[in-house]
């Protein structure tokens, strides 16, 4: 069929009892409300189709009636696999009550499953979910007792444990785009995200199913730019033109050209947050940010970190990202969450999770509803309340450094910031540091086994995850350790070497994060250990942009080596290091000179594969040792040859 334009009623009429539908969307971005409304209307009028399966990677709703909430009718859905359920309470209620089989799997794994199904592979191998409620040795991602079939298995491959997420056929895809031609070619020029549209369409075609797309306009045949087509017409069966009511760019915004990169919006001055416990937490978390980091900030409490970073003028040193595909710029919040302003790129959701799962995040700052003595965190399930994990498991397991943020207690907490400290006026009714979390969304033991650095930051205390449990590192000035911290925890943390939180956090004036981030004196970056005759060069976060920068480093290193008076072994930390391409050759030449003059042996390391390649090639061209290790441990373990 060359002309695929049909009404919404005609499109949903092709759905049969028992079909499985994959639905696109992230909150309201890319959510095909016209198709969902038509399906709901058909079911309410005819009681068909019935017993459908449903697959959705991200939360697709407004927490009330839109999105997948339209499908929250008994008998319509018989089983569902979802990444985030908090925005679809009508559907979540059926899942919690056992009126359908239901699973909560990591958002990124569902996103990747579309590609697996598209290639007719048996399933997805991933370490994401190990030690969490998704692990079949714990809950297997099952939401209720009525859910019997296993979708997740534990497998051992090459001596390592993996989770195997089983593939399944999908008969229908509901997609959303901006423009279609009569042949069904889809472009997304006014959409804030591209999501998993191509992967979903490919999965459904591989399953012998039908792809139905919602658009806002139709173009003449042959008029679309082939490079802008995100889903080719050969994969699309039906196209429905939606009315504006069912096709907002987000659930909060009908259309913002900055969300679709049509314009770059002047951000202007960032309004300062009021000084409250929320800002205290955000400021302390922002102190963990380092120049040139790639960062994910979760929704809710972590949004304050972006606000503080803007107020302190350090956003220009960071690359903020959001899990549905936004890289760079300023991620939006609320019902705009998932979109971004002035982004560097918007990639497909499954590709973003490739980047995340592969260690692309230097730091993630995520919310914390509950934490226990082993460092486990729960954000997904609280008795009858089903929130779901969303991308939390992928992000928290794979970020190189992790910061959880939240108040120590919840429900009625009232505080005051006075005299450079914190006073608790009224304590929260609910404890958040409990003996055992209700559901494990983040596994503390799994993190310690991988030596992942993890902090837990509250308005009055900062904890660090260690193999023995949580260690209390800092408390706020004005807070009583026993009364205001320990007495409000269900377990006793390790308390040893306790310090006071930085008093600048409690001052209304800016705390000078820009200076803290970029102004580390060179002398402080050069440390000599006489016992091992080792010179440690900490270039983490250092930006080298000019020939003068190169000369300053050479002078500082040479002076320290001359003071030692003999050749030294050198270990260099290049994590989050940046060297401009303009001076890269000068840097490599400088490294070759100081190596020849002062070094007995040199070992370099960085977690960035790009920087390893870039430095290696530059050094090799200058006759210097090109090898750069992947970690500090590997660099230290290397022996002189």
């Amino acid at each position: 069929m060359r002309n695929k334009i049909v009404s919404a009623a005609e499109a949903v009429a092709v759905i049969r009892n028992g079909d499985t539908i994959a639905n696109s969307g992230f909150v309201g971005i890319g959510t095909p409300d016209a198709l969902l409304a038509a399906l709901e209307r058909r079911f309410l009028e005819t009681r068909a189709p019935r017993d459908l399966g449903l697959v959705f990677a991200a939360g697709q709703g407004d927490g009330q009636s839109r999105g997948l909430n339209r499908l929250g009718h008994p008998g319509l859905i018989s089983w569902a696999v979802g990444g985030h359920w908090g925005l679809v309470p009508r559907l979540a209620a059926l899942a919690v009550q056992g009126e359908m089989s239901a699973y909560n799997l990591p958002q990124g794994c569902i996103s990747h499953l579309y590609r697996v199904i598209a290639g007719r592979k048996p399933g997805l191998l991933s370490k994401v979910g190990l030690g969490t409620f998704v692990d079949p040795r714990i809950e297997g991602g099952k939401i209720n007792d009525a859910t019997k079939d296993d979708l997740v298995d534990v497998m051992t491959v090459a001596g390592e444990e993996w989770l195997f997420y089983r593939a399944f056929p999908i008969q229908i895809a509901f997609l959303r785009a901006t423009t279609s031609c009569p042949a069904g070619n889809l472009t997304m020029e006014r959409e804030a995200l591209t999501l998993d549209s191509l992967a979903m369409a490919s999965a459904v075609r591989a399953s012998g199913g039908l792809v139905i797309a919602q658009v806002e306009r139709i173009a003449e045949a042959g008029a679309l730019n082939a490079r802008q087509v995100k889903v080719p017409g050969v994969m699309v069966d039906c196209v429905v033109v939606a009315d504006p009511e069912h096709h907002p760019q987000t659930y909060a915004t009908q259309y913002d050209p900055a969300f679709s990169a049509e314009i770059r919006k002047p951000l202007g001055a960032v309004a300062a947050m009021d000084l409250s416990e929320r800002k205290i937490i955000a400021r302390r978390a922002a102190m963990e940010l380092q120049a040139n980091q790639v960062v994910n900030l979760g929704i809710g409490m972590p949004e304050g970190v972006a606000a503080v970073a803007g107020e302190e003028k350090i956003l220009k040193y960071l690359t903020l990202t959001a899990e549905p595909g936004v890289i760079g710029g300023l991620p939006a919040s609320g019902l705009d969450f998932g979109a971004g302003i002035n982004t560097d790129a918007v990639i497909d959701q499954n590709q973003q999770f490739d980047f995340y799962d592969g260690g692309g995040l230097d730091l993630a700052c995520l919310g914390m509803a509950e934490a226990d003595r082993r460092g486990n965190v729960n954000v997904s399930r609280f008795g009858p309340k089903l929130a779901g994990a969303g991308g939390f498991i992928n992000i928290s397991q794979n970020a190189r450094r992790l910061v959880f943020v939240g108040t120590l207690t919840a429900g009625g907490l009232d505080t005051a910031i006075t005299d450079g400290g914190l006073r608790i006026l009224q304590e929260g009714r609910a404890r958040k540091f409990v003996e055992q979390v209700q559901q494990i969304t983040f596994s503390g033991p799994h993190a310690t086994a991988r030596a992942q650095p993890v902090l837990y930051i509250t308005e009055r205390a900062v904890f660090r995850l260690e193999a023995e449990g949580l260690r209390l590192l800092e408390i706020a000035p004005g807070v009583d350790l026993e009364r205001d911290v320990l007495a409000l925890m269900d377990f006793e943390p390790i308390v040893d070497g306790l310090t006071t939180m930085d008093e600048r956090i409690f001052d209304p004036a800016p705390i000078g994060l820009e200076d803290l981030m970029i102004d580390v004196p060179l002398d402080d970056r050069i440390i000599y250990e006489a016992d091992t005759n080792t010179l440690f060069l900490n270039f983490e976060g250092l930006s080298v942009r000019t020939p003068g920068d190169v000369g300053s480093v050479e002078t500082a290193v040479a002076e320290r080596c001359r003071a030692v008076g003999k050749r030294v072994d050198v270990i260099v930390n290049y994590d989050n290091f940046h060297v401009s391409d303009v001076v890269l050759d000068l840097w490599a030449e400088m490294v070759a000179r100081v190596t020849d003059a002062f070094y007995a042996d040199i070992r370099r390391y960085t977690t960035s594969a790009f920087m390893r390649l870039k430095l290696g090639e530059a050094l090799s061209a200058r006759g210097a040792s090109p090898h750069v290790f992947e970690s500090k441990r590997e660099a230290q373990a290397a022996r002189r040859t």
Side-chain angles (χ1 to χ4, degrees):
M1 185 168 67
R2 298 302 298 169
N3 192 333
K4 302 176 180 180
I5 316 303
V6 298
S7 69
E10 290 171 325
V12 300
V14 304
I15 302 173
R16 302 165 299 180
N17 292 341
D19 278 350
T20 294
I21 299 175
N23 194 73
S24 176
F26 186 95
V27 191
I29 302 170
T31 302
D33 273 278
L35 302 181
L36 295 170
L39 177 58
E40 179 186 36
R41 186 163 51 248
R42 179 188 168 194
F43 177 77
L44 293 178
E45 292 174 354
T46 69
R47 310 309 295 176
R50 297 183 59 83
D51 301 324
L52 299 178
L54 177 65
V55 186
F56 57 99
Q60 298 164 7
D62 61 354
Q64 298 180 50
S65 60
R66 289 184 287 182
L68 293 179
N69 289 293
R70 300 179 189 274
L71 307 187
H73 300 286
L76 177 53
I77 306 296
S78 67
W79 73 279
V81 176
H84 191 273
W85 292 77
L87 294 171
V88 290
R90 294 185 180 180
L91 200 65
L94 298 178
V96 171
Q97 293 161 12
E99 296 193 36
M100 63 178 177
S101 297
Y103 303 84
N104 181 199
L105 302 184
Q107 180 180 332
C109 294
I110 298 174
S111 185
H112 287 155
L113 270 174
Y114 293 136
R115 297 193 316 215
V116 167
I117 296 167
R120 294 182 177 174
K121 298 178 176 67
L124 170 73
L125 269 180
S126 176
K127 289 186 178 292
V128 173
L130 282 169
T132 73
F133 73 90
V134 179
D135 194 313
R137 294 165 294 194
I138 301 176
E139 298 176 39
K142 298 174 183 177
I143 291 173
N144 56 48
D145 293 337
T147 305
K148 303 299 183 185
D149 294 339
D150 294 327
L151 287 187
V152 187
D153 303 298
V154 177
M155 296 184 66
T156 300
V157 179
E160 295 186 15
E161 279 192 348
W162 297 75
L163 294 185
F164 181 73
Y165 294 83
R166 301 182 189 182
F168 43 81
I170 303 173
Q171 286 78 36
I172 302 290
F174 276 2
L175 307 181
R176 199 180 96 166
T178 300
T179 309
S180 176
C181 69
N185 293 299
L186 305 178
T187 61
M188 299 183 176
E189 61 271 23
R190 285 168 58 88
E191 307 299 315
L193 299 167
T194 58
L195 298 169
D196 294 315
S197 297
L198 179 58
M200 291 170 65
S202 301
V204 168
R205 299 301 290 186
S207 302
L210 300 171
V211 176
I212 304 172
Q214 166 185 321
V215 300
E216 61 177 273
R217 59 195 184 189
I218 302 297
E220 181 182 356
L224 297 179
N225 184 330
R227 297 298 293 271
Q228 290 186 324
V229 172
K230 298 299 183 182
V231 182
V234 293
M235 294 184 180
V236 179
D237 299 284
C238 301
V239 176
V240 173
V241 180
D243 58 64
E245 175 190 359
H246 289 133
H247 205 101
Q249 193 178 33
T250 79
Y251 281 149
T253 304
Q254 188 62 35
Y255 184 70
D256 185 336
F259 286 165
S260 56
E262 184 180 341
I263 63 170
R264 291 183 71 85
K265 181 180 290 186
L267 297 179
V270 177
M273 296 173 66
D274 293 334
L275 189 56
S276 64
E277 65 268 13
R278 181 183 177 91
K279 186 168 186 175
I280 291 169
I281 294 169
R283 279 179 157 183
R284 179 59 186 83
M287 286 182 161
E288 297 300 314
L289 297 171
Q290 297 174 359
N292 301 314
Q293 283 184 329
V294 179
V295 179
N296 176 278
L297 300 177
I299 196 168
M301 187 73 74
E303 292 174 18
V305 180
V308 167
E311 180 185 346
E312 298 280 342
K313 298 179 174 56
I314 61 171
L315 283 173
K316 59 190 173 185
Y317 301 112
L318 306 168
T319 299
L320 301 183
T321 68
E323 57 265 34
V326 168
I327 296 178
L330 184 64
S333 60
L335 288 178
D336 286 329
F337 184 59
I341 294 172
N342 301 348
T343 57
D344 297 327
V346 177
I347 63 178
D348 286 357
Q349 181 170 241
N350 52 77
Q351 296 169 332
Q352 184 78 303
F353 279 107
D354 285 337
F355 179 61
Y356 282 5
D357 291 356
L361 285 173
D362 296 302
L363 181 134
C365 181
L366 303 174
M368 170 183 62
E370 284 185 326
D372 65 24
R373 67 163 61 245
R374 305 182 72 197
N376 298 318
V377 171
N378 175 26
V379 299
S380 50
R381 183 74 180 264
F382 309 93
K385 183 180 179 182
L386 173 62
F392 184 96
I393 300 178
N394 296 82
I395 295 166
S396 63
Q397 279 195 206
N398 293 302
R400 294 194 182 103
R401 295 178 62 237
L402 186 58
V403 174
F404 290 116
V405 293
T407 53
L408 191 82
T409 64
L413 175 65
D414 188 17
T415 64
I417 295 95
T418 58
D419 301 323
L422 182 71
R423 281 198 305 126
I424 310 300
L425 302 179
Q426 179 176 307
E427 199 55 76
R429 295 182 298 275
R431 296 185 176 198
K432 297 178 68 172
F433 284 80
V434 297
E435 181 64 30
Q436 184 173 339
V437 294
Q438 297 176 58
Q439 188 170 67
I440 301 173
T441 329
F442 170 79
S443 170
H446 187 66
T448 57
R450 295 178 294 113
Q452 181 184 27
V454 184
L455 288 181
Y456 306 73
I457 296 175
T458 77
E459 79 288 357
R460 67 187 86 174
V462 178
F463 303 87
R464 182 177 65 215
L465 178 62
E466 297 183 356
E468 298 79 15
L470 294 191
R471 178 181 294 276
L472 180 58
L473 300 178
E474 307 168 17
I475 61 171
V479 164
D480 182 83
L481 174 61
E482 291 293 335
R483 181 192 66 229
D484 297 329
V485 179
L486 300 181
L488 298 169
M489 300 175 66
D490 286 353
F491 61 91
E492 187 171 340
I494 304 165
V495 182
D496 183 18
L498 187 63
T499 62
T500 302
M501 292 170 68
D502 194 317
E503 292 186 358
R504 288 174 295 180
I505 296 172
F506 304 88
D507 190 320
I511 58 179
L513 281 182
E514 185 173 20
D515 290 339
L516 289 175
M517 176 174 284
I518 66 170
D519 214 15
V520 180
L522 269 175
D523 286 346
D524 292 347
R525 294 179 177 273
I526 304 171
I527 300 170
Y528 176 65
E529 186 179 89
D531 291 346
T532 59
N533 190 36
T534 302
L535 191 71
F536 293 94
L537 302 180
N538 178 21
F539 292 156
E540 181 172 7
L542 180 66
S543 290
V544 177
R545 299 182 175 88
T546 68
D549 293 339
V550 177
S552 296
V553 172
E554 182 172 14
T555 298
V557 171
E559 287 180 354
R560 183 64 60 88
C561 289
R562 290 190 186 102
V564 172
K566 59 182 177 181
R567 288 186 175 272
V568 295
D569 291 339
V570 178
I571 295 179
V572 190
N573 176 6
Y574 277 116
D575 257 356
N576 299 306
F577 172 81
H578 173 75
V579 57
S580 170
D581 289 340
V582 176
V583 297
L584 179 59
D585 288 343
L586 290 178
W587 179 265
E589 290 169 2
M590 179 274 290
V591 170
R593 283 196 299 273
V594 295
T595 299
D596 289 344
F598 303 111
Y599 299 167
D601 179 52
I602 181 168
R603 309 160 211 165
R604 312 172 183 90
Y605 70 92
T606 175
T607 52
S608 168
F610 174 76
M611 185 55 66
R612 286 198 300 274
L613 178 64
K614 182 177 180 179
L615 278 174
E617 290 179 346
L619 295 170
S620 179
R622 296 298 179 275
S625 170
H627 188 75
V628 185
F629 295 95
E630 295 186 25
S631 69
K632 182 178 182 180
R633 183 178 300 175
E634 288 185 8
Q636 289 175 320
R639 291 292 182 264
R640 206 179 308 169
T641 57

